[in-house]
């Protein structure tokens, strides 16, 4: 590289560094414009980009300070340490008491107590006195996280989620038949059955009902594994305190909560496999054992799930490209190393080739129908999606985002803003962290590679959905991977802002942001469908109370015709995994509000009577409005009430 070219590149980099905060600001303005005029409803995301860039600009002058390896503002202040632990013990104990006495609906006080518990740990992280207390803080984070997950998972007698019931039925078939069911029963999971075999083993070995087995084998284990791996990874890259903040943030991340608690699916274990790969590639001693573990983890992912495995492949592909670019551009072309702790990433092209070859080969062998493999079906779906996008943008047909626009335009500004406000607080802090990596001297290989992976995932999920790729992918299934990288940058920026400033108002400001982040994360409406405290018009309860299940069991026993008409929120999947009542064999048929079909037996829940006008959202942004008011009037007038409890009535004609 000539001196002139080198000087030109340096001038360009200097200009970018001076104006780096403007790019997310303009992105945020574009998102706000599209939210208002196009109806995409992402107001919170737009504000996150704008406020993140503003926060970076306000603190820009202080970001030249070297980041301390560890801060301890009050090394001799035992009183503060005791106060923080007392607050934690009191708030955590009271939250457990509230949880014990709450039935179905956890009060607002419970969420406030959980927020205080998490926040006391956050403040304590900056005043840890020795390495032994690191593990105490880690243990407290995991305990609060598990109690919160336990409260949500056991809030209703049925297992939360939709997909988990399908996967549990496959696991039960494996237990009964001693073999994985074929494609006609298990669809593509007859080939990707690692989670189902794992659950089948747990059903055989563990005692108790199915719900307890799922909690111990998936919820508890994935929470602990994820926490420990995130702690080890961030501790290796940055320091202990950033690692503890990252563990706290990952345990309140809403999309990870969805993946591991409210809608469990095989991507839950793929997530853990991916974290193991990340942990292995950052090890500075490249032992053959680590390479072997990476190979095994890739094999396990391919045998577990298709979509999340493809997502991991894209992440590894992006990481490898970023490593090559970093080494050739920063290290060789510019002859600079911008981080004092610039660890190597042991990720090689051979790994990517192995991953790609194994994935394509296995998908080609997955015969879904005669002469039609999963790989061929995927290519056909990709081709159909691309043609659909081209046709929609080249004609007067509605754009691919029209369904999402109709979904978000159904709700008001405040509902759209509050719906995922917690994740947008995380995004705001992550934007500050990314700007730190881009604009200053913390451009390590790991942070640069993670930044590239973040850009790729964000573009694939949001920009891809906007242009129409949402029909090919299920965007929300990839959000947990995006939030992992956002946690990395958010924990770094949070620690850095708190560490470099001596002004009390700045420290108080970052504390306020963190406490709002915690509160709005754990109260996210779509992870607390039964006890939402805000944006209640956006979500609906999708689980059943004991009395509702008991009314179904009564109908199964005493009605001559076992076919019972029910509302659309009652489906066979969740009933199939209820093993403490005899409801799995009942024949239910969803009644439609405008249907003229006459049914002999109808079960109507009190929840439907109180919420007769339901708005049900689908996977790809679809929304269905169901008004049961006319049907309820007809049933109460023309049918006889033959069974009733506090939560459901059974009518017969």
């Amino acid at each position: 590289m000539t001196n002139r070219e080198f000087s030109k590149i340096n001038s360009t980099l200097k200009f970018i560094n001076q104006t780096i905060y403007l790019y997310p600001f303009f992105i945020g303005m574009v998102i706000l414009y599209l939210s208002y005029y196009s109806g995409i409803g992402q107001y919170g995301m737009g504000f996150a980009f704008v406020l993140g860039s503003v926060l970076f600009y306000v603190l820009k002058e202080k970001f030249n300070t070297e980041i301390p390896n560890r801060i301890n503002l009050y090394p001799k202040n035992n009183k503060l340490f005791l106060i923080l632990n007392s607050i934690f013990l009191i708030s955590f104990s009271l939250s457990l008491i509230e949880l014990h006495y709450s039935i179905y609906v956890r009060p607002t006080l419970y969420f406030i107590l959980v927020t205080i518990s998490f926040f006391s740990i956050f403040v304590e992280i900056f005043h840890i006195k020795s390495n032994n207390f690191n593990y105490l803080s880690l243990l407290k984070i995991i305990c609060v996280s598990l109690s919160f997950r336990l409260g949500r998972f056991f809030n209703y007698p049925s297992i939360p989620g939709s997909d988990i019931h399908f996967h549990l039925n496959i696991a039960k078939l494996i237990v009964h038949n001693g073999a994985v069911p074929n494609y006609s029963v298990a669809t593509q999971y007859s080939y990707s059955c690692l989670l189902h075999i794992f659950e089948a083993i747990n059903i055989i070995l563990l005692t108790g009902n199915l719900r307890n087995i799922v909690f111990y084998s998936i919820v508890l284990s994935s929470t602990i594994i994820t926490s420990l791996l995130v702690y080890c990874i961030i501790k290796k890259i940055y320091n202990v305190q950033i690692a503890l903040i990252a563990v706290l943030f990952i345990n309140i991340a809403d999309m990870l909560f969805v993946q591991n608690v409210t809608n469990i699916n095989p991507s839950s274990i793929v997530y853990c496999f991916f974290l193991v790969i990340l942990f292995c590639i950052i090890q500075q001693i490249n032992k053959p054992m680590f390479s072997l573990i990476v190979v095994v983890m890739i094999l396990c992912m391919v045998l577990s799930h298709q979509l999340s495995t493809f997502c991991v492949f894209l992440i590894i592909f992006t990481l490898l490209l970023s490593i090559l670019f970093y080494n050739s551009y920063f290290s060789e072309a510019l002859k600079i190393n911008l981080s004092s702790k610039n660890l190597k990433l042991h990720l090689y092209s051979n790994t990517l080739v192995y991953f790609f070859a194994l994935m394509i080969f296995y998908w080609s062998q997955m015969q879904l129908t005669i002469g039609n493999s999963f790989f061929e079906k995927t290519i056909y779906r990709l081709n159909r999606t691309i043609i659909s996008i081209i046709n929609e943008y080249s004609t007067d047909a509605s754009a691919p985002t029209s369904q999402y626009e109709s979904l978000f335009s159904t709700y008001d500004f405040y509902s759209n803003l509050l719906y995922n406000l917690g994740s947008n607080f995380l995004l705001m802090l992550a934007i500050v962290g990314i700007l730190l990596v881009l604009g200053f001297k913390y451009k390590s290989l790991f942070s640069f590679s993670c930044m590239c992976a973040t850009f790729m995932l964000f573009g694939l999920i949001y920009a891809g959905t906007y242009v129409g790729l949402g029909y090919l992918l299920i965007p929300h299934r990839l959000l947990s991977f995006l939030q992992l990288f956002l946690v990395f940058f958010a924990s770094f920026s949070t620690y850095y802002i708190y560490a470099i400033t001596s002004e009390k108002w700045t420290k108080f400001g970052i504390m306020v942001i963190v406490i709002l982040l915690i509160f709005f994360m754990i109260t996210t409406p779509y992870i607390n469908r039964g006890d939402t405290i805000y944006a209640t018009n956006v979500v609906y309860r999708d689980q059943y109370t004991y009395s509702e299940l008991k009314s179904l069991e009564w109908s199964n026993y005493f009605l001559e015709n076992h076919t019972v008409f029910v509302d659309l929120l009652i489906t066979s999947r969740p009933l199939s995994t209820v093993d403490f009542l005899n409801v799995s064999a009942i024949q239910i048929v969803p009644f439609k509000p405008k249907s003229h079909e006459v049914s002999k037996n109808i079960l109507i829940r009190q929840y439907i009577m109180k919420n007769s006008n339901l708005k049900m959202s689908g996977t790809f942004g679809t929304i269905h409005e169901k008004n049961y008011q006319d049907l309820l009037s007809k049933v109460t007038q023309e049918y006889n009430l033959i069974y009733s409890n506090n939560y459901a009535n059974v009518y017969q004609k």
Side-chain angles (χ1 to χ4, degrees):
M1 179 180 292
T2 64
N3 291 333
R4 185 177 180 181
E5 292 174 339
F6 184 81
S7 177
K8 184 180 293 186
I9 292 176
N10 275 337
S11 300
T12 304
L13 287 176
K14 186 177 180 180
F15 174 77
I16 292 175
N17 286 341
Q18 291 174 346
T19 60
I20 194 69
Y21 60 90
L22 293 176
Y23 307 128
F25 181 85
F26 287 129
I27 293 174
M29 296 303 294
V30 170
I31 294 174
L32 289 174
Y33 174 83
L34 293 174
S35 297
Y36 183 77
Y37 288 100
S38 298
I40 64 173
Q42 297 296 328
Y43 295 101
M45 182 183 295
F47 287 126
F49 273 92
V50 172
L51 295 177
S53 61
V54 170
L55 180 61
F56 178 83
Y57 177 77
V58 171
L59 300 174
K60 185 175 64 170
E61 298 301 326
K62 300 179 180 181
F63 286 152
N64 288 314
T65 307
E66 182 70 28
I67 184 171
N69 186 50
R70 173 190 285 270
I71 59 173
N72 191 342
L73 299 183
Y74 305 99
K76 297 182 180 180
N77 195 342
N78 294 323
K79 185 178 180 180
L80 178 63
F81 184 78
L82 291 175
I83 291 174
L84 290 173
N85 279 275
S86 299
I87 292 173
F88 171 79
L89 287 174
I90 293 172
S91 59
F92 184 51
S93 300
L94 290 176
S95 70
L96 293 178
I97 294 173
E98 282 286 340
L99 188 62
H100 176 73
Y101 286 104
S102 62
I103 301 176
Y104 302 133
V105 178
R106 294 167 294 173
T108 305
L109 178 61
Y110 168 77
F111 295 101
I112 294 174
L113 291 170
V114 173
T115 302
I116 294 173
S117 300
F118 274 125
F119 183 70
S120 66
I121 302 172
F122 170 78
V123 178
E124 182 188 311
I125 289 172
F126 294 97
H127 307 94
I128 292 175
K129 305 176 72 62
S130 66
N131 289 330
N132 293 330
F133 290 103
N134 296 334
Y135 303 109
L136 176 62
S137 298
L138 181 62
L139 178 62
K140 290 196 293 185
I141 293 172
I142 294 175
C143 286
V144 179
S145 175
L146 286 176
S147 71
F148 182 65
R149 282 160 165 74
L150 183 144
R152 176 63 183 91
F153 192 81
F154 290 98
N155 202 21
Y156 287 86
S158 57
I159 299 175
S162 175
D163 295 348
I164 181 61
H165 307 286
F166 173 71
H167 298 298
L168 286 176
N169 285 326
I170 297 176
K172 289 193 294 184
L173 288 174
I174 294 175
V175 172
H176 292 311
N177 301 329
V180 178
N182 56 28
Y183 174 77
S184 61
V185 176
T187 63
Q188 68 264 29
Y189 295 106
S190 59
Y191 298 91
S192 303
C193 52
L194 200 60
L195 175 67
H196 311 92
I197 295 174
F198 174 69
E199 280 305 297
I201 295 172
N202 289 321
I203 292 173
I204 295 172
L205 296 180
L206 300 178
T207 58
N209 60 40
L210 200 56
R211 189 168 53 146
N212 293 339
I213 293 173
V214 172
F215 180 81
Y216 292 128
S217 61
I218 297 181
V219 179
L220 185 143
S221 59
S222 62
T223 301
I224 295 175
I225 292 171
T226 301
S227 300
L228 294 178
L229 286 172
V230 168
Y231 175 79
C232 293
I233 292 169
I234 302 302
K235 179 183 176 183
K236 186 79 173 179
I237 300 300
Y238 297 117
N239 62 37
V240 171
Q241 290 170 304
I242 297 179
L244 289 173
I245 297 173
V247 173
L248 193 152
F249 285 175
I250 201 68
N251 275 279
I252 62 173
D254 50 10
M255 292 312 302
L256 185 64
F257 191 94
V258 170
Q259 181 177 270
N260 291 341
V261 181
T262 60
N263 193 28
I264 299 172
N265 56 75
S267 63
S268 303
I269 59 172
V270 172
Y271 200 85
C272 295
F273 295 151
F274 172 63
L275 286 174
V276 172
I277 292 176
L278 275 184
F279 174 76
C280 290
I281 65 176
I282 66 171
Q283 301 306 310
Q284 297 308 289
I285 302 176
N286 189 21
K287 295 181 179 179
M289 177 60 68
F290 293 129
S291 300
L292 178 61
I293 292 174
V294 171
V295 170
V296 173
M297 291 298 102
I298 291 174
L299 176 62
C300 291
M301 284 191 290
V302 173
L303 296 176
S304 300
H305 198 223
Q306 292 83 32
L307 178 59
S308 55
T309 299
F310 180 68
C311 177
V312 173
F313 171 78
L314 292 178
I315 293 173
I316 292 179
F317 177 73
T318 305
L319 292 177
L320 184 60
L321 284 182
S322 64
I323 291 171
L324 296 175
F325 178 80
Y326 184 94
N327 291 333
S328 61
Y329 184 69
F330 290 112
S331 300
E332 296 181 10
L334 298 183
K335 306 293 183 183
I336 55 176
N337 186 359
L338 298 179
S339 176
S340 59
K341 194 176 182 181
N342 196 16
L343 304 180
K344 293 182 179 179
L345 296 184
H346 293 286
L347 185 61
Y348 307 103
S349 57
N350 293 338
T351 305
L352 187 69
V353 172
Y354 161 72
F355 197 166
F356 180 76
L358 180 63
M359 184 174 63
I360 298 302
F361 172 77
Y362 194 71
W363 288 3
S364 301
Q365 300 304 308
M366 294 171 58
Q367 296 297 322
L368 305 185
T369 57
I370 299 176
N372 187 14
S373 66
F374 179 82
F375 179 71
E376 292 171 334
K377 182 180 178 181
T378 303
I379 296 298
Y380 170 76
R381 188 173 177 180
L382 174 62
N383 179 63
R384 188 179 61 180
T385 301
I386 294 174
I387 293 175
S388 176
I389 293 173
I390 294 173
N391 291 336
E392 286 169 336
Y393 279 102
S394 60
T395 62
D396 294 332
S398 60
T401 52
S402 58
Q403 287 188 324
Y404 287 95
E405 292 169 9
S406 62
L407 169 64
F408 291 113
S409 61
T410 305
Y411 310 108
D412 57 24
F413 167 79
Y414 295 104
S415 296
N416 285 325
L417 178 66
L418 294 172
Y419 184 63
N420 54 358
L421 186 59
S423 59
N424 287 317
F425 271 112
L426 181 69
L427 175 62
M428 182 185 70
L429 291 174
I431 288 169
V432 177
I434 291 173
L435 291 175
L436 275 170
V437 171
L438 283 173
F440 290 87
K441 51 191 173 183
Y442 305 107
K443 203 181 277 87
S444 67
L445 178 57
F446 177 82
S447 58
F448 180 76
S449 300
C450 289
M451 180 188 66
C452 294
T454 305
F455 291 162
M456 182 275 297
L457 287 171
F458 186 88
L460 182 65
I461 294 170
Y462 292 103
T465 301
Y466 187 78
V467 300
L469 289 180
Y471 298 118
L472 176 66
L473 304 171
I474 306 178
H476 65 265
R477 294 291 177 85
L478 311 182
L479 281 171
S480 59
F481 292 94
L482 173 62
Q483 280 194 343
L484 174 66
F485 293 106
L486 294 181
V487 163
F488 290 170
F489 292 109
S491 58
F492 172 70
S493 65
T494 302
Y495 174 84
Y496 188 65
I497 294 172
Y498 196 94
I500 64 172
T501 181
S502 58
E503 299 176 2
K504 293 182 178 180
W505 284 109
T506 305
K507 291 184 183 296
F508 178 76
I510 193 66
M511 285 183 175
V512 170
I513 292 174
V514 170
I515 201 168
L516 290 175
L517 164 66
I518 296 171
F519 178 77
F520 284 105
M521 271 289 195
I522 66 174
T523 56
T524 302
Y526 49 81
I527 69 173
N528 303 291
R529 289 181 175 272
D531 43 17
T532 307
I533 60 178
Y534 54 83
T536 55
N537 59 325
V538 183
V539 295
Y540 50 86
R541 175 163 66 84
D542 58 351
Q543 286 184 264
Y544 318 126
T545 65
Y546 183 83
S547 296
E548 291 170 349
L549 293 172
K550 199 67 179 176
S551 64
L552 287 168
E553 184 184 48
W554 184 90
S555 302
N556 192 31
Y557 276 128
F558 295 102
L559 294 182
E560 295 179 2
N561 181 3
H562 286 181
T563 300
V564 179
F565 276 63
V566 295
D567 58 85
L568 291 173
L569 295 181
I570 299 180
T571 58
S572 299
R573 273 191 182 181
L575 299 179
S576 65
T577 56
V578 176
D579 51 7
F580 55 89
L581 292 174
N582 186 19
V583 295
S584 58
I586 189 172
Q587 300 178 15
I588 59 174
V589 177
F591 54 72
K592 299 177 181 179
K594 297 182 180 180
S595 176
H596 298 287
E597 184 178 358
V598 178
S599 171
K600 183 178 181 181
N601 306 310
I602 294 182
L603 185 146
I604 297 180
R605 299 183 295 158
Q606 291 292 333
Y607 178 77
I608 296 298
M609 293 183 180
K610 296 178 181 179
N611 302 274
S612 57
N613 189 15
L614 281 177
K615 296 177 181 179
M616 303 170 58
S617 56
T619 301
F620 298 102
T622 57
I623 185 168
H624 307 283
E625 295 191 37
K626 305 296 180 183
N627 192 329
Y628 290 105
Q629 190 60 50
D630 294 338
L631 181 64
L632 292 176
S633 300
K634 179 180 179 181
V635 169
T636 54
Q637 293 175 7
E638 300 179 8
Y639 283 67
N640 297 318
L641 178 64
I642 60 174
Y643 175 86
S644 178
N645 58 38
N646 292 330
Y647 284 87
N649 299 331
V650 179
Y651 296 88
Q652 191 176 66
K653 189 173 184 178

